[in-house]
């Protein structure tokens, strides 16, 4: 099948590579603009562009698909199907209507739950035990199109959103290939979403990251997992940030919120339950075990962090 691919980050690059290795013809790739990366702000191509160049596929990086000539350019490429994976731009109606088999999108949630920009992170933050991948037809709404395939993925109780995303990336590529095969064989069946069951997954913000121990341990544990690798949850101690990258949750423990219950490992009481601070990053320092940070600060059992 002749496919036009649209995507930008690593998850999209994995899907593009899977499509190419499956033998499909990719007539072009649309991706976001190159961006400065790192301390030296080196201009760097998106992962999808890097894969496309490796395979000798034409790359297009328009600032918008609504600019004059965008639809004509795509029409000239004559794709039978447009595949979108985390492209980051909405497709206007004149483009949605171009391909013979329409436009499909890979979304990393079990739609209609978690429509929006950060579905994996919010599924972890909200303590879900399961998420997954949905392949749907694109329409003019935000993740509102009819669903072609879903593939559930279990969430580990201590799994971070970054770790979960790695597993979902592979599951997404496999599910996408199966959907393309269904479309090519004429066996694809689309099911409308139930809008009444829809929930949203808005972008994460740095402001979400600060927490105190005056909250249930399970809620904090899920927040910390969900905000790893970005923006990373943190609490304030003596006017400085202490980032927390990994925790374990003991919902049955008790103590006053912020009270240190143990040094090795470092266990801190919450409003209900307690958290083991497995890995922390004190401001201006490197990542370390929570117990190492506690030893360096000469904490004792019964001390208060907040």
């Amino acid at each position: 099948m002749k496919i036009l691919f649209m995507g930008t980050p690593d998850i999209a690059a994995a899907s593009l590579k899977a499509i190419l290795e499956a033998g499909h013809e990719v007539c072009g790739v649309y991706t976001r603009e190159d961006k400065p990366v790192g301390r030296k702000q080196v201009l760097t191509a998106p992962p999808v562009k890097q894969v496309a160049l490796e395979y000798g596929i034409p790359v297009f990086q328009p600032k918008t698909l609504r600019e004059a000539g965008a639809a004509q350019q795509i029409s000239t490429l004559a794709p039978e199907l447009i595949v979108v994976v985390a492209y980051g731009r909405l497709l206007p109606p004149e483009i949605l209507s171009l391909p013979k088999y329409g436009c499909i999108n890979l979304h990393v949630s079990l739609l209609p739950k978690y429509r929006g920009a950060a579905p994996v992170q919010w599924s972890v933050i909200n303590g879900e035990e399961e998420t997954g991948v949905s392949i749907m037809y694109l329409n003019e709404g935000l993740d509102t199109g009819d669903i072609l395939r879903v593939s559930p993925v279990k969430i580990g109780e201590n799994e971070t959103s970054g770790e979960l995303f790695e597993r979902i990336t592979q599951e997404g590529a496999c599910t996408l290939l199966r959907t393309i095969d269904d479309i090519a064989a004429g066996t694809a069946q689309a099911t409308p979403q139930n809008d009444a069951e829809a929930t949203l997954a808005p972008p994460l913000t740095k402001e979400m990251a600060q927490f105190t121990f005056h909250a249930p341990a399970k809620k904090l544990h899920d927040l910390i997992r969900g905000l790893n690798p970005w923006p990373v949850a943190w609490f304030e101690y003596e006017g400085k940030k202490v980032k927390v990258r990994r925790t374990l949750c003991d919902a049955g423990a008790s103590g006053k919120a912020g009270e240190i219950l143990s040094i090795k490992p470092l266990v801190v009481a919450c409003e209900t339950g307690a958290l083991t601070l497995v890995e922390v990053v004190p401001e201006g320092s490197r990542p370390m075990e929570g117990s190492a940070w506690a030893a360096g600060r000469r904490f004792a059992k019964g001390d208060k962090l907040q």
Side-chain angles (χ1 to χ4, degrees), residues 43-62:
L43 196 63
T44 304
V48 160
K49 180 179 179 179
Q50 295 176 31
V51 173
L53 293 178
E54 178 186 340
Y55 282 84
I57 300 168
V59 176
F60 305 90
Q61 296 174 279

Side-chain angles (χ1 to χ4, degrees), residues 9-277:
D10 288 330
I11 185 173
S15 290
L16 173 59
K17 188 169 285 190
I19 288 170
L20 290 164
E21 290 177 352
H24 295 287
E25 177 188 356
V26 177
C27 57
V29 162
Y30 277 65
T31 189
R32 300 289 290 269
E33 303 95 317
D34 296 3
K35 289 186 176 181
V37 174
R39 290 185 177 182
K40 295 185 177 181
Q41 293 291 279
V42 177
L43 196 63
T44 304
V48 160
K49 180 179 179 179
Q50 295 176 31
V51 173
L53 293 178
E54 178 186 340
Y55 282 84
I57 300 168
V59 176
F60 305 90
Q61 296 174 279
K63 291 184 177 181
T64 173
L65 291 177
R66 299 185 183 277
E67 65 185 21
Q72 180 57 47
Q73 185 179 62
I74 292 173
S75 179
T76 301
L77 293 170
E80 296 175 285
L81 177 72
I82 292 179
V83 174
V84 180
V85 182
Y87 178 36
R89 300 199 191 284
L90 293 176
L91 276 61
E94 60 269 24
I95 291 177
L96 290 172
S97 62
L98 281 175
K100 175 182 177 181
Y101 295 111
C103 305
I104 63 173
N105 179 65
L106 185 160
H107 186 74
V108 285
S109 80
L110 298 177
L111 290 170
K113 293 185 71 173
Y114 298 113
R115 293 172 176 172
V120 171
Q121 295 93 323
W122 280 106
S123 67
V124 176
I125 291 169
N126 289 339
E128 300 281 4
E129 295 181 355
E130 182 180 68
T131 184
V133 173
S134 300
I135 311 296
M136 63 179 178
Y137 279 120
L138 278 173
N139 58 21
E140 294 181 58
L142 177 65
D143 302 324
T144 56
D146 293 351
I147 296 172
L148 291 159
R149 263 187 182 268
V150 297
S151 183
V153 175
K154 294 290 184 183
I155 303 174
E157 65 176 336
N158 297 316
E159 191 170 25
T160 68
S161 63
E163 292 165 341
L164 177 59
F165 213 96
E166 287 183 10
R167 294 199 295 119
I168 284 182
T169 293
Q170 301 309 314
E171 187 65 35
C174 293
T175 307
L176 182 60
L177 288 180
R178 290 195 293 268
T179 306
I180 293 171
D181 289 343
D182 290 344
I183 292 171
T187 58
Q189 295 185 350
T191 303
Q193 294 187 41
N194 183 351
D195 291 338
E197 297 178 354
T199 60
L200 295 179
L204 302 183
T205 65
K206 290 183 178 180
E207 290 71 27
M208 295 172 56
Q210 185 176 9
F211 71 91
T212 73
F213 293 98
H214 295 268
K218 178 63 165 61
K219 182 176 181 180
L220 292 177
H221 178 62
D222 294 338
L223 177 72
I224 290 162
R225 294 189 301 128
L227 298 185
N228 181 347
W230 190 91
V232 184
W234 60 274
F235 66 91
E236 185 176 305
Y237 180 74
E238 294 187 343
K240 293 188 176 182
K241 290 183 180 181
V242 180
K243 294 182 178 180
V244 183
R245 296 170 64 170
R246 290 189 181 276
T247 56
L248 297 174
C249 178
D250 182 354
S254 62
K256 294 181 180 179
E259 178 187 0
I260 295 177
L261 303 181
S262 167
I263 300 298
K264 291 185 177 182
L266 177 57
V267 180
V268 183
C270 301
E271 180 183 279
T272 57
L275 287 179
T276 298
L277 306 190

